Amino acid sequence: MSLVVVSNRVARGKVNEPMTGGLAAALLPVVEKSGAIWVGSSGRVRHGAQKEPFAEIEALGAGALAMLDLPAAHYGGYYEGFANSALWPALHSRADLIRASQQDYLSYREVNAFMARALLRFKKPDAVFWIQDYHFLALGAELRDLGVTQPIGFFLHTPWPARAIIEGVPHHRELVEAMLAYDLIGFQTEDDRESFLGYVSCDLGLEVENGVITSRHGTSRIAVFPIGIDPEKFATQAAKAASHPDVSRLRRSLNGEKLAIGVDRLDYSKGLINRIEAFDRMWTLQPALQRTVSLLQIATPSRGAIEAYGNLQNELAKLVSDVNGRLGEVDWTPIRYLNKGFSQTVLAGLYRTAQVGVVTPLHDGMNLVAKEYVAAQNPADPGVLVLSKFAGAANELDTALLVNPHDIDGMARTIAIALSMPLTERRMRWEAMMTKLRAGTIQQWFADFVEALQETRLDKAEDKAESPSPVAEAPTLVPLRSVNTGARYH
Ligand code: F6P
């Protein structure tokens, strides 16, 4: 099997560089080991009619990383436009923020078609394509139009919202119909899967049986694969990072104070305003907690050219400075607010230094920061995770302190509880979460999806063999080389 993984953002194998985005950081170690070809955007654009779409192809572990310069005329409409101003807000249930022009939609489709043409280079008879995320909802259909008959799977890293929200996206029907060209569609949670199936049966009127949709493309299996991390590797990294200069400087600067940490892309789905308000409320309602704890909030700027993101950045900066100005002392800054990214290694060390991890998105597909915070803790003295019940991670990390991020008072009370939680309870909760992390690693996720994709195709081939219509070119399906256990998808 020649596996081709496609995502908009890709990562290079440099552990000491800052990394934006859960997807790229999570995929890097597994793609490196799998021997797959990872295809994505170079982050640069191409003008005119250059023949070769690939700007760079370089070795990545046992496989390769292939980066494309996307067409300049369509990049803005695709990335800032349709993907991040129409799909992203809708997928995170912010219909009020959906902005999309017809031109943006056309650019999105153009970039999907451009990517499909570029991928033909990797169309070996034994190729298996695995497309990632909302940037490429229509890529499977484009590949089929170009005659690709190999297995094509798709995984959505974001949530899938209620019908009424996705109906707010222009061309929603056309897009979801195009998605049905994928043999297998994976979601983070059962709720996402159910919302998608609900849309398909109610809005498209298609037949759904046991999670299999029948459409003009044939059949698509819809399943759940919660993405994980490599907890052991992260724990080792965190223990080692204790001596990193950034981490030791942070520890020294605390002067016996406790630390809470938040690490997010600067995005409205992350609930940053509500989180700062909750700390403000906690310090105001319980003045004894002033000077005893500060919040380190890392908010990496993201998608700055989009108005909603610029507005959020301004609003947050104002709120943080208001809280610091009002509550701060000459020797105490309540909120340490940083607009920059850190390497995974440094982050691991920062997580381990903090007694409380606050991960309180309004809505999130999974949120790997929650998992990383847990994995980074010192087993003898672990910190407490305060986690939004609207993050996909809450399904597994149910022994975290779960909060409703819209309830500011409730969050304020919960953070205070986390700060004073006795060691025995901290350890009990942490061990339960570690057990879940060990049971659902990123390696397992990767292997499960690829195995399920191959099985889905085998089932289809069997169905076709039983039916009188001619069978299309069937690729050779071989078992995965990587560790694999029974399929855990459902
Ligand atoms: O959840 C979707 C996702 O792909 C994340 O993995 C990542 O945090 C984010 O979107 C990346 O966005 P961007 O590439 O626009 O920074």
Side-chain angles (χ1 to χ4, degrees):
M1 178 191 61
S2 318
L3 181 62
V4 183
V5 176
V6 184
S7 61
N8 177 65
R9 193 185 275 278
V10 292
R12 285 181 152 134
K14 300 196 177 103
V15 277
N16 292 324
E17 275 182 9
M19 255 197 250
T20 312
L23 185 161
L27 282 182
L28 179 62
V30 269
V31 176
E32 253 177 347
K33 279 230 170 80
S34 70
I37 295 167
W38 189 4
V39 183
S41 159
S42 63
R44 290 183 304 268
V45 291
R46 64 194 329 255
H47 293 273
Q50 283 157 252
K51 266 243 157 90
E52 173 57 58
F54 286 95
E56 285 160 83
I57 302 189
E58 61 190 39
L60 181 71
L65 179 63
M67 285 170 287
L68 287 163
D69 289 351
L70 295 176
H74 295 293
Y75 187 77
Y78 150 76
Y79 180 76
E80 270 107 20
F82 202 77
N84 285 313
S85 296
L87 289 172
W88 180 271
L91 293 168
H92 291 84
S93 302
R94 290 296 304 268
D96 58 316
L97 293 177
I98 296 175
R99 309 273 180 278
S101 66
Q102 176 66 6
Q103 195 45 51
D104 289 346
Y105 179 66
L106 294 177
S107 291
Y108 178 85
R109 295 301 304 247
E110 278 294 333
V111 169
N112 274 240
F114 178 86
M115 179 59 90
R117 290 193 296 274
L119 288 175
L120 291 181
R121 175 166 177 163
F122 304 112
K123 188 193 145 209
K124 292 194 193 150
D126 67 343
V128 168
F129 293 91
W130 184 8
I131 317 301
Q132 312 285 326
D133 236 356
Y134 63 98
H135 307 88
F136 294 120
L137 297 182
L139 181 49
E142 299 290 352
L143 285 167
R144 294 285 181 234
D145 284 351
L146 293 173
V148 173
T149 54
Q150 282 81 349
I152 315 178
F154 174 81
F155 185 79
L156 186 69
H157 291 256
T158 69
W160 186 271
R163 279 175 51 214
I165 308 273
I166 207 72
E167 286 167 3
V169 174
H171 305 281
H172 57 93
R173 266 198 194 84
E174 217 168 281
L175 279 170
V176 179
E177 270 166 7
M179 284 173 78
L180 300 177
Y182 291 117
D183 295 303
L184 173 66
I185 300 180
F187 290 99
Q188 300 272 27
T189 70
E190 195 54 53
D191 281 354
D192 300 327
R193 176 179 176 271
E194 271 170 26
S195 303
F196 184 78
L197 291 176
Y199 175 93
V200 166
S201 56
C202 298
D203 285 60
L204 303 184
L206 293 175
E207 186 198 319
V208 181
E209 215 187 314
N210 295 329
V212 176
I213 301 168
T214 306
S215 73
R216 70 182 174 87
H217 296 283
T219 55
S220 305
R221 173 173 295 282
I222 315 300
V224 176
F225 302 84
I227 193 169
I229 61 166
D230 183 339
E232 308 305 342
K233 189 173 145 201
F234 213 80
T236 314
Q237 234 174 5
K240 274 200 196 137
S243 56
H244 189 284
D246 281 349
V247 180
S248 2
R249 281 212 317 276
L250 170 66
R251 251 199 328 269
R252 273 201 305 277
S253 73
L254 287 172
N255 287 326
E257 261 172 57
K258 287 190 172 167
L259 183 72
I261 191 167
V263 177
D264 306 81
R265 266 188 320 102
L266 213 160
D267 191 293
Y268 45 78
S269 64
K270 303 293 179 186
L272 293 162
I273 297 282
N274 294 19
R275 186 182 307 165
I276 305 290
E277 284 177 349
F279 274 87
D280 185 12
R281 192 72 56 88
M282 177 187 80
W283 284 312
T284 310
L285 295 178
Q286 301 194 44
L289 289 177
Q290 291 178 20
R291 306 179 68 104
T292 68
V293 56
S294 57
L295 167 67
L296 169 60
Q297 178 61 58
I298 295 171
T300 319
S302 169
R303 308 173 190 168
I306 300 173
E307 197 188 348
Y309 288 78
N311 292 345
L312 174 66
Q313 186 157 5
N314 294 340
E315 198 186 341
L316 257 175
K318 194 171 165 308
L319 180 62
V320 168
S321 92
D322 166 54
V323 175
N324 281 344
R326 192 158 30 81
L327 300 176
E329 298 287 347
V330 287
D331 56 350
W332 179 59
T333 305
I335 301 166
R336 303 167 181 215
Y337 178 60
L338 307 181
N339 287 143
K340 61 179 182 177
F342 288 87
S343 69
Q344 289 282 90
T345 312
V346 173
L347 283 178
L350 302 181
Y351 292 142
R352 197 176 172 100
T353 310
Q355 286 75 18
V356 177
V358 271
V359 181
T360 54
L362 305 180
H363 209 171
D364 218 332
M366 176 55 66
N367 200 305
L368 294 179
V369 168
K371 295 189 171 183
E372 290 170 356
Y373 175 78
V374 171
Q377 296 310 299
N378 175 359
D381 187 18
V384 181
L385 176 65
V386 174
L387 177 62
S388 163
K389 55 181 171 182
F390 304 125
N395 289 309
E396 292 154 273
L397 304 182
D398 52 358
T399 54
L401 292 183
L402 296 184
V403 291
N404 168 4
H406 301 284
D407 174 6
I408 308 294
D409 284 326
M411 272 202 288
R413 280 194 302 274
T414 308
I415 297 163
I417 290 171
L419 284 164
S420 62
M421 188 180 283
L423 178 63
T424 359
E425 184 176 351
R426 279 190 275 130
R427 283 177 74 162
M428 207 185 64
R429 288 176 182 272
W430 176 80
E431 270 155 24
M433 289 192 277
M434 279 304 280
T435 305
K436 299 272 178 75
L437 295 188
R438 290 190 189 108
T441 62
I442 182 80
Q443 289 81 3
Q444 190 71 55
W445 173 81
F446 195 86
D448 283 349
F449 188 95
V450 178
E451 186 187 27
L453 178 54
Q454 292 187 299
E455 274 173 13
T456 304
R457 281 296 288 232
L458 282 174
D459 292 348
K460 274 189 172 183
E462 276 165 21
D463 289 351
K464 275 198 178 166
E466 280 164 22
S467 76
S469 54
V471 183
E473 176 201 340
T476 342
L477 300 177
V478 289
L480 259 184
R481 277 186 294 122
S482 49
V483 267
N484 215 339
T485 61
R488 295 178 312 121
Y489 59 95
H490 46 282

